[in-house]
């Protein structure tokens, strides 16, 4: 930039701004880690997003800066994204019948009617 | 901040090259969106949906990063400790927002390095407002209050969109924006209700920023071929005009109540239509700035390149055997 010294900004006017192109190389920003945050002791860690980092320790530092600037947090996990193994989203139909499995639910088991019928029957005798 | 309201479209010739999609998949995709379901990274999606989202999220990310530059250089000159602390927190948030958005765009298959290269080469755009200088502290105040407010209108709309990772990022961003807006309003009111010199300095800054603010949401998009399709896919959630109108509805009164006004005698709400009228904000200038000819385009990119070059040795020093790029999960 030829007129760099004309910047209104004193801090920028002092920089030696680069001339020409800048190119970022592939992989320069590393891989990603998934971040899990625990809001309170006793609660589950929950997925909150991801960070780019060169290793797990730096990932934790970036995770704290990125996801724990505000609000409650007592602990964080980071996991390499490639280490997470998940069902394909397209397979979500395998869960669709789950809500129909009433035999697994407490609400399915109702015997009050039967008890009442029994008691009425017994009284008659 | 800074959901750069307006996303410059590709040149119209390229736009017409529609990709033929499987009609059955397309119908299923549309039905899912109509049911209010979110689309996730590994779901099937039309090529145009992917492309538009990448462009939109990427440009939004660039806007966050570049937008932090005019404010960031005022940290050392902020008037007083309280304002300085607020500005540091805000600028860090903006960089964080950039990160969240880059991550969301990466889930669609464009690596971060490529996005940064497209920014540095000028291929990829960012919100036009950041190509204007922050001449005084009052300019920072106007950015913090009114540009953030405009961005929130845009981001709140987009957070109801159809792409899961973008919505999740925006929800988080909007929560933090609430603080940005409040601290901006606080600083704005202090100057407006301060000494006559402070009041005058603020009015001068509002005069400088009026046009960029009207430009922020982009020109009327009623004639855009793509808008309708993108709205059906919940990529674009509201028209430029509607968002601008909503912004004026909410913020003109807040500016006027402290004795400041926008420098436009035609800025009036039509009581019949409920729409705001304003003078022609010089859309030629708008397109010139997009092309790279604004007052600060070159400086912004040069500073961004400087950061890239000066930070490289740190990234290299940190490099480990498992530093290959990966696509974030969600």
């Amino acid at each position: 930039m030829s007129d760099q010294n004309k910047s209104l900004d004193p801090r920028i006017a002092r920089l030696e701004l680069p001339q020409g192109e800048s190119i970022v190389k592939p992989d320069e920003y590393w891989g990603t880690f998934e971040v899990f945050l625990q809001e309170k002791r006793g609660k589950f860690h929950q997925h909150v997003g991801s960070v780019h980092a060169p290793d797990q320790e730096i990932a934790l530092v970036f995770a704290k800066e990125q996801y724990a600037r505000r609000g409650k947090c007592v602990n964080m996990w980071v996991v390499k994204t490639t280490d997470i193994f998940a069902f394909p989203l397209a397979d979500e139909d395998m869960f669709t019948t789950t809500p129909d499995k009433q035999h697994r639910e407490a609400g399915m088991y109702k015997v009050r009617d039967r008890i009442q019928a029994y008691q009425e029957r017994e009284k008659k005798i | 901040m800074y959901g750069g309201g307006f996303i410059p479209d590709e040149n119209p010739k390229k736009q017409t090259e529609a990709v033929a999609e499987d009609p059955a998949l397309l119908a299923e995709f549309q039905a899912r969106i109509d049911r209010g379901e979110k689309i996730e990274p590994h779901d099937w999606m039309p090529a145009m949906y992917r492309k538009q989202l990448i462009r939109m999220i990427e440009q939004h990310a660039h806007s966050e990063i570049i937008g932090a530059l005019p404010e960031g250089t005022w940290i050392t000159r902020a008037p007083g400790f309280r304002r300085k602390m607020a500005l540091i927190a805000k600028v860090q948030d903006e960089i964080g927002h950039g990160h969240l958005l880059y991550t969301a765009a990466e889930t669609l298959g464009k690596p971060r390095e490529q996005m940064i290269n497209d920014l540095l080469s000028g291929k990829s755009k960012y919100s036009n407002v950041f190509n204007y200088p922050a001449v005084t502290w009052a300019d920072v105040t106007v950015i913090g209050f009114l540009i953030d407010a405009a961005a929130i209108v845009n981001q709140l709309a987009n957070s109801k969109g159809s792409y899961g990772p973008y919505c999740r990022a925006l929800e988080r961003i909007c929560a933090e924006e609430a603080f940005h807006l409040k601290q901006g309003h606080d600083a704005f009111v202090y100057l407006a209700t301060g000494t006559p010199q402070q009041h005058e300095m603020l009015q001068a800054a509002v005069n400088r920023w009026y046009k960029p603010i009207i430009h922020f949401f982009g020109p009327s998009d009623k004639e855009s071929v793509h808008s309708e399709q993108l709205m059906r896919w919940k990529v674009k959630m509201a028209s430029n005009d509607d968002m601008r109108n909503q912004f004026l509805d909410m913020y003109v009164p807040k500016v006027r109540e402290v004795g400041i006004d926008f420098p436009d005698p035609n800025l009036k709400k039509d009581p019949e239509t409920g729409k705001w009228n304003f003078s022609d904000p010089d859309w030629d200038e708008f397109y010139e700035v997009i092309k790279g000819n604004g007052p600060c385009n070159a400086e912004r990119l040069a500073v961004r390149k400087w950061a890239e070059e000066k930070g490289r040795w740190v990234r290299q020093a940190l490099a480990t055997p498992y530093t290959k790029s990966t696509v974030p999960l969600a």
Side-chain angles (χ1 to χ4, degrees):
Chain A
M1 209 174 90
S2 56
D3 56 347
Q4 59 179 267
N5 294 326
K6 284 186 196 152
S7 177
L8 289 161
D9 192 320
R11 297 185 68 236
I12 288 169
R14 283 196 296 272
L15 295 178
E16 287 172 17
L17 294 176
Q19 311 282 323
E21 283 196 336
S22 278
I23 294 170
V24 178
K25 292 178 199 73
D27 295 342
E28 195 167 325
Y29 278 86
W30 319 298
T32 52
F33 289 78
E34 301 302 317
V35 180
F36 298 81
L37 183 147
Q38 187 183 30
E39 281 194 347
K40 221 175 133 180
R41 269 180 187 269
K43 299 277 186 196
F44 286 112
H45 284 67
Q46 286 207 335
H47 184 242
V48 287
S50 57
V51 290
H52 280 249
D55 62 40
Q56 52 201 24
E57 284 172 13
I58 305 281
L60 269 181
V61 173
F62 288 168
K64 173 176 173 287
E65 285 303 311
Q66 177 67 318
Y67 296 105
R69 287 201 299 275
R70 293 186 181 83
K72 284 184 186 154
C73 176
V74 293
N75 190 248
M76 301 181 97
W77 293 342
V78 290
V79 182
K80 271 165 74 180
T81 300
T82 47
D83 284 347
I84 290 183
F85 192 61
F87 285 118
L89 265 181
D91 287 356
E92 70 180 290
D93 58 348
M94 71 178 156
F95 301 108
T96 50
T97 57
T98 308
D100 304 337
K101 293 177 183 165
Q102 287 302 309
H103 64 285
R104 294 178 182 273
E105 305 292 339
M108 159 103 179
Y109 297 92
K110 291 176 182 140
V111 290
R112 186 44 54 193
D113 288 356
R114 214 174 161 81
I115 292 170
Q116 258 169 5
Y118 167 79
Q119 287 177 338
E120 274 163 32
R121 206 163 64 228
E122 288 298 298
K123 259 188 255 162
K124 279 180 201 156
I125 297 167
Chain B
M1 187 177 304
Y2 304 131
F6 176 68
I7 304 301
D9 239 339
E10 269 185 333
N11 96 41
K13 259 193 206 154
K14 274 166 100 183
Q15 277 187 36
T16 49
E17 294 166 17
V19 183
E21 302 281 5
D22 179 336
L25 285 173
L26 207 54
E28 198 184 306
F29 178 79
Q30 186 65 55
R32 166 171 275 176
I33 289 173
D34 293 343
R35 285 196 300 271
E37 285 175 31
K38 300 290 181 191
I39 306 301
E40 292 295 336
H42 298 288
D43 286 333
W44 182 88
M45 60 185 85
M48 225 250 291
Y49 178 86
R50 183 186 297 277
K51 200 170 138 192
Q52 284 287 344
L53 266 175
I54 290 176
R55 180 154 66 223
M56 187 164 149
I57 303 172
E58 175 184 348
Q59 294 188 10
H60 188 171
H62 295 331
S63 301
E64 301 282 352
I65 302 294
I66 297 293
L69 298 180
E71 289 187 302
T73 55
W74 273 95
I75 289 172
T76 54
R77 294 170 285 161
F81 190 63
R82 209 164 63 94
R83 295 276 179 242
K84 195 190 291 276
M85 292 299 281
L87 193 55
I88 289 172
K90 177 174 191 288
V91 168
Q92 189 187 17
D93 283 349
E94 308 299 4
I95 301 301
H97 296 172
H99 166 85
L100 290 171
L101 293 161
Y102 281 131
T103 304
E106 281 172 289
T107 62
L108 290 159
K110 183 165 180 179
R112 178 168 306 210
E113 289 84 356
Q114 208 179 319
M115 291 190 264
I116 294 174
N117 283 335
D118 286 349
L119 169 67
L120 297 181
S121 73
K123 184 181 166 203
S124 184
K125 304 296 178 195
Y126 52 86
S127 186
N128 242 9
V129 280
F130 304 117
N131 290 318
Y132 291 88
V135 189
T136 67
W137 170 253
D139 293 72
V140 180
T141 301
V142 171
I143 296 174
F145 177 38
L146 294 174
I147 304 290
D148 274 65
I152 291 174
V153 168
N154 179 254
Q155 288 170 163
L156 271 179
N158 282 350
S159 73
K160 315 252 178 340
S162 62
Y163 189 57
Y166 190 37
C167 298
R168 288 191 287 274
L170 284 175
E171 267 168 37
R172 202 191 155 81
I173 289 171
C174 287
E176 297 186 342
E177 291 296 339
F179 146 68
H180 299 179
L181 182 63
K182 287 296 251 185
Q183 68 87 34
H185 188 227
D186 187 288
F188 192 92
V189 170
Y190 262 66
L191 288 184
T193 60
T195 64
Q197 289 94 326
Q198 285 175 319
H199 188 91
E200 202 180 303
M201 179 169 77
L202 183 64
Q203 181 62 61
V206 169
N207 294 351
R208 280 192 287 279
W209 285 89
Y210 176 63
K211 256 199 297 187
I213 286 171
I214 294 293
H215 288 165
F216 183 83
F217 295 99
S220 184
D221 51 6
K222 289 208 173 71
E223 287 91 50
S224 166
V225 197
H226 272 205
S227 265
E228 204 185 320
Q229 174 66 79
L230 293 177
M231 277 189 174
R232 269 207 305 277
W233 281 340
K234 294 189 188 168
V235 170
K236 190 173 172 58
M237 297 299 288
S239 80
N240 297 350
D241 288 330
D242 286 349
M243 286 191 289
R244 182 167 25 242
N245 207 63
Q246 194 188 339
F247 165 79
L248 292 171
D249 254 346
M250 288 167 80
Y251 293 97
V252 172
K254 287 191 194 300
V255 168
R256 288 182 176 164
E257 74 181 0
V258 289
I260 299 288
D261 208 348
F262 291 111
D264 180 0
N266 296 322
L267 182 67
K268 282 185 196 120
K269 187 170 174 166
D270 183 333
E272 304 234 319
T273 60
K275 303 280 179 205
W276 286 82
N277 295 316
F278 42 83
S279 310
D280 174 34
D282 189 359
W283 292 108
D284 292 342
E285 174 181 321
F286 173 78
Y287 287 112
E288 274 305 302
V289 178
I290 287 184
K291 270 194 253 160
N293 303 324
C296 294
N297 296 58
E299 178 179 314
R300 299 281 182 253
L301 285 185
V303 171
R304 185 64 193 79
K305 283 179 189 169
W306 179 89
E308 210 53 52
E309 298 291 328
K310 297 291 171 183
R312 178 161 290 132
W313 71 272
V314 181
R315 290 191 295 277
Q316 283 170 352
L318 288 172
T320 59
Y322 51 90
T323 51
K324 270 191 87 66
S325 279
T326 42
V327 178
L329 199 62

